């Protein structure tokens, strides 16, 4: 894919298989210079601890070399989206 976006990073169960598959996927995209967006509710420090240390240190190196952390502060919009969807469903029904 020319662009890959993965949302909810940090909500998944992490085990060795997940770590290996994630590294393989992101490493390949870095090698191919393909843009990838990772969406997370984690802070930069929590993200670093979860994905860039210990057995994931190699992934951390790749993310630091090829990535850029962008913080989008503010409240979650999930509740607003849910409310809008409920309103739309009521109006259609």
């Amino acid at each position: 894919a020319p662009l890959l976006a993965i949302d909810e990073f940090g909500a998944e169960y992490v085990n060795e298989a997940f770590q290996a598959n994630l590294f393989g996927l992101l490493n390949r995209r870095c090698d191919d210079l393909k843009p990838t967006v990772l969406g997370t509710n984690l802070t930069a420090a929590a993200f670093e601890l979860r994905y860039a240390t210990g057995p994931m240190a190699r992934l951390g190196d790749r993310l630091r070399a090829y990535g850029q952390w962008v913080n989008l502060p503010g409240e979650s919009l999930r509740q607003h989206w849910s409310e809008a969807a409920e309103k739309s469903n009521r109006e259609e029904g």
Side-chain angles (χ1 to χ4, degrees):
L3 172 67
L4 174 64
I6 304 173
D7 195 15
E8 297 295 336
F9 234 60
E12 72 287 330
Y13 175 74
V14 176
N15 59 32
E16 288 182 22
F18 173 81
Q19 291 173 336
N21 287 323
L22 178 64
F23 179 82
L25 171 68
L26 296 179
N27 188 56
R28 177 63 186 262
R29 293 194 62 82
C30 287
D31 286 346
D32 293 344
L33 301 176
K34 300 274 187 174
T36 305
V37 176
L38 306 175
T40 184
N41 290 328
L42 298 174
T43 63
F47 186 90
E48 177 87 15
L49 183 63
R50 185 174 175 105
Y51 296 106
T53 59
M56 298 290 279
R58 287 183 8 185
L59 178 60
D61 292 342
R62 299 296 279 180
L63 293 175
R64 280 186 286 279
Y66 290 94
Q68 178 180 1
W69 182 267
V70 177
N71 188 32
L72 303 174
E75 67 177 289
S76 171
L77 297 178
R78 187 172 292 128
Q79 179 181 353
H80 302 293
W81 292 333
S82 296
E83 291 169 356
E86 288 175 17
K87 181 180 176 185
S88 176
N89 287 339
R90 283 192 305 269
E91 290 172 356
E92 290 176 3

